[in-house]
Amino acid sequence: MTTTSPQGRTELLRPDGSPVRVLVVDDELSITELLSMALRYEGWQIRSAGDGQGAVQTAREFRPDAVVLDMMLPDMDGLAVLGRLRRDLPDVPVLFLTAKDAVEDRIAGLTAGGDDYVTKPFSLEEVVARLRGLIRRSGAADRRSDSVLVVGDLTLDEDSHEVSRAGENIHLTATEFELLRFLMRNPRRVLSKAQILDRVWSYDFGGQANVVELYISYLRRKIDAGREPMIHTRRGAGYLIKPAAS
Amino acid sequence: MTTTSPQGRTELLRPDGSPVRVLVVDDELSITELLSMALRYEGWQIRSAGDGQGAVQTAREFRPDAVVLDMMLPDMDGLAVLGRLRRDLPDVPVLFLTAKDAVEDRIAGLTAGGDDYVTKPFSLEEVVARLRGLIRRSGAADRRSDSVLVVGDLTLDEDSHEVSRAGENIHLTATEFELLRFLMRNPRRVLSKAQILDRVWSYDFGGQANVVELYISYLRRKIDAGREPMIHTRRGAGYLIKPAAS
DNA sequence: CGGATATCTGTGATTTTCCTGAGAAACGCA
DNA sequence: TGCGTTTCTCAGGAAAATCACAGATATCCG
């Protein structure tokens, strides 16, 4: 089931209308805090745990619809935690967090059951998008919710990564795609450059803040080129996207 | 009976509309976990057992539509388990798991009755495909005909392993075939290299992740050669297949 | 109008990702 | 056993994406 909030954001809800529940497991407090904040903002109910022991315990009682699980925990191996979790909650989908340079070997099989993973450092958009996908596919949320965002004559398909305006296909790079997704998930809403940077770029991004301007510029070339513009600048505040008509 | 989920995946269902039930029997926990995960993701209902004793007991009560049975169990010989299973469930199809170097002729006799087998280490695509075939043929799920995947002018027959594009026959090696099958079972959906690796290569594959790139390259030469391409790269995300038209 | 500030965008260096040829090793089969 | 096929590693090179920098342009406000 999905509902649309007054701000125009669509939220995933469970079939009974209650909020989706997500358990976040990571030993670094800064990460759990970051994730908890971002995921709460999605309208989800969040609990967190700092080790495998706590994860299993919390899961048993909290009964989450999805779990975000760091593979590197102080007390247990991530796979061991997974096993225990699955004993109580056989169908819960898991999003694994793995270190980028952690030799690519131990990733084997992680996505096999419909689970997914992201590498640290991640961007929040990435985590949220993957989680939404997992929850959508697990059936914890109404299955009818589909993977296509629509704003005016602009559409973005989160499964096929296809973007089109007025029926015409548009190729975007990975970063452009994530930026547009963030804008489209918050239509008619001004998003500051800081918000965009925090959401779309990975949390350890240390570059110039004007990458946002740069990528907005790229997007405009591809999406607004020669058409009624949909991406608007609010000087001193940020950017927003809205249907061309209004 | 089959239904199509919102993601475009077709699921096998029993004639009465309930999910197909599969019993997994293996003494290695990692194997039963891996299989349970993957098979559950197919929309099936899974139970597992770690020995022959448990298998027979669970089968009696669970009444599965198919069984995945390791030939090498701690307490009983696989054949003994089979015998007992058949006493309760005379028609249930069985997929045997055998070690690579196991005596082949013993198995050959068994598969004559419509059963099938795969050797360890297997790939999940292989197991899922064989199991689908067994269930389809056993009549536990109706619709015994349709073993052909079609995407645009490309067709792949899961029974005969025949592949053709625009009517022209194409020879694929075993790995190429499984990769293409996985792509075609998820048309218009971006599949990451990790997902492909987890699904198409055997669970103990420890090699370079760029085999996926290599085999995509092979497939393109055979399928897209001189034609409108159907296999597309989404840089930084993965690959997808879709009809040439769109 | 003119300066201050904010935003836009062209250029190109760097990095990342992908593709593919060559050949080694394993396999299947006669 | 020997030969053709298949699988896979390795590495070079091509292509694409990301981003810093800086000058151009737009907007605001006195």
Side-chain angles (χ1 to χ4, degrees):
Chain A
M1 184 186 200
T2 63
T3 62
T4 302
S5 73
Q7 294 83 43
R9 295 173 42 80
T10 52
E11 297 168 9
L12 278 178
L13 290 181
R14 310 161 101 200
D16 67 0
S18 64
V20 167
R21 302 147 88 93
V22 178
L23 170 62
V24 175
V25 187
D26 198 304
D27 59 320
E28 289 170 80
L29 199 59
S30 60
I31 300 280
T32 54
E33 301 254 304
L34 183 69
L35 283 173
S36 297
M37 241 197 304
L39 303 182
R40 250 178 217 123
Y41 183 70
E42 290 297 308
W44 300 337
Q45 208 173 317
I46 310 299
R47 287 281 188 86
S48 60
D51 53 31
Q53 200 73 24
V56 174
Q57 246 170 320
T58 309
R60 191 165 300 161
E61 172 246 321
F62 183 52
R63 310 203 75 73
D65 301 301
V67 177
V68 180
L69 176 61
D70 189 358
M71 290 298 282
M72 205 76 113
L73 291 174
D75 59 337
M76 307 189 204
D77 179 30
L79 290 178
V81 179
L82 179 65
R84 299 264 196 99
L85 283 177
R86 281 276 155 70
R87 208 165 302 156
D88 294 324
L89 305 163
D91 294 321
V92 70
V94 176
L95 181 66
F96 299 97
L97 303 181
T98 74
K100 177 83 167 200
D101 50 358
V103 217
E104 291 197 35
D105 56 4
R106 233 12 286 160
I107 295 176
L110 289 190
T111 73
D115 295 326
D116 204 348
Y117 75 97
V118 298
T119 57
K120 288 185 179 183
F122 46 77
S123 79
L124 291 174
E125 261 305 283
E126 209 177 327
V127 171
V128 169
R130 296 272 172 93
L131 262 181
R132 286 174 65 90
L134 284 180
I135 292 165
R136 189 158 44 77
R137 270 175 257 125
S138 80
D142 191 321
R143 286 215 153 202
R144 261 162 310 203
S145 58
D146 68 0
S147 60
V148 181
L149 297 174
V150 179
V151 176
D153 59 356
L154 181 64
T155 68
L156 177 151
D157 187 318
E158 301 199 67
D159 275 351
S160 67
H161 282 216
E162 255 159 26
V163 174
S164 67
R165 174 140 188 211
E168 190 185 331
N169 236 61
I170 295 172
H171 170 79
L172 298 184
T173 70
T175 307
E176 289 163 359
F177 180 83
E178 288 212 351
L179 171 56
L180 182 61
R181 169 160 61 190
F182 183 43
L183 293 174
M184 290 181 71
R185 297 218 321 109
N186 296 278
R188 298 171 182 281
R189 187 138 178 272
V190 176
L191 301 165
S192 72
K193 278 185 267 193
Q195 278 179 306
I196 293 172
L197 207 53
D198 285 348
R199 279 298 278 229
V200 176
W201 271 261
S202 49
Y203 57 78
D204 72 340
F205 178 79
Q208 305 303 109
N210 87 329
V211 277
V212 176
E213 293 171 17
L214 184 62
Y215 272 86
I216 288 284
S217 160
Y218 291 158
L219 269 190
R220 281 178 165 148
R221 263 178 244 180
K222 293 182 176 179
I223 284 170
D224 285 345
R227 291 179 255 230
E228 188 77 12
M230 295 182 64
I231 299 173
H232 304 268
T233 304
R234 286 284 174 275
R235 195 162 229 267
Y239 302 93
L240 85 164
I241 199 167
K242 64 176 182 178
S246 94
Chain B
M1 183 189 197
T2 64
T3 62
T4 302
S5 73
Q7 295 78 44
R9 296 171 46 82
T10 53
E11 297 169 8
L12 279 178
L13 290 181
R14 310 160 101 198
D16 67 1
S18 64
V20 167
R21 302 148 89 93
V22 178
L23 171 62
V24 175
V25 187
D26 198 303
D27 59 318
E28 288 171 82
L29 197 60
S30 60
I31 299 282
T32 54
E33 293 270 312
L34 185 68
L35 283 174
S36 297
M37 254 200 295
L39 303 182
R40 221 169 248 135
Y41 187 64
E42 291 297 308
W44 301 335
Q45 208 173 316
I46 310 299
R47 287 282 187 85
S48 60
D51 53 31
Q53 198 72 24
V56 173
Q57 243 171 320
T58 308
R60 191 165 299 161
E61 171 246 322
F62 183 53
R63 310 203 73 74
D65 300 302
V67 178
V68 180
L69 177 61
D70 189 0
M71 291 300 278
M72 203 77 110
L73 291 174
D75 59 338
M76 306 188 206
D77 179 39
L79 289 178
V81 179
L82 181 65
R84 298 262 199 102
L85 282 176
R86 280 280 151 71
R87 208 165 302 155
D88 294 324
L89 304 163
D91 296 323
V92 70
V94 176
L95 181 66
F96 300 101
L97 302 181
T98 76
K100 185 79 164 207
D101 50 1
V103 203
E104 296 277 332
D105 31 324
R106 246 180 22 145
I107 306 295
L110 296 174
T111 62
D115 295 327
D116 202 349
Y117 76 98
V118 299
T119 58
K120 287 186 180 184
F122 48 77
S123 79
L124 292 174
E125 265 300 288
E126 208 178 327
V127 171
V128 169
R130 295 274 170 90
L131 217 36
R132 285 173 68 90
L134 283 181
I135 292 165
R136 199 156 36 76
R137 284 189 294 273
S138 80
D142 55 11
R143 147 100 71 123
R144 59 187 51 223
S145 53
D146 197 346
S147 63
V148 180
L149 297 173
V150 179
V151 176
D153 60 356
L154 180 64
T155 67
L156 176 150
D157 188 319
E158 300 199 68
D159 280 348
S160 67
H161 279 219
E162 256 159 26
V163 174
S164 67
R165 174 141 189 210
E168 189 184 332
N169 236 60
I170 295 172
H171 169 78
L172 298 184
T173 69
T175 308
E176 289 163 358
F177 179 83
E178 288 209 355
L179 171 56
L180 183 60
R181 168 161 60 192
F182 184 44
L183 293 174
M184 290 181 72
R185 296 220 320 117
N186 296 279
R188 298 173 179 280
R189 182 135 178 266
V190 175
L191 302 166
S192 71
K193 277 183 266 194
Q195 281 178 303
I196 293 172
L197 212 52
D198 283 349
R199 206 54 203 210
V200 175
W201 270 261
S202 50
Y203 55 80
D204 71 341
F205 178 81
Q208 305 302 109
N210 87 328
V211 277
V212 176
E213 294 170 18
L214 185 63
Y215 273 85
I216 287 283
S217 162
Y218 291 159
L219 268 190
R220 281 177 166 149
R221 270 178 234 179
K222 294 183 176 179
I223 285 170
D224 284 345
R227 291 178 256 230
E228 188 76 12
M230 295 182 63
I231 299 173
H232 303 267
T233 304
R234 286 282 173 276
R235 206 162 242 264
Y239 300 93
L240 85 164
I241 199 168
K242 64 175 182 178
S246 98

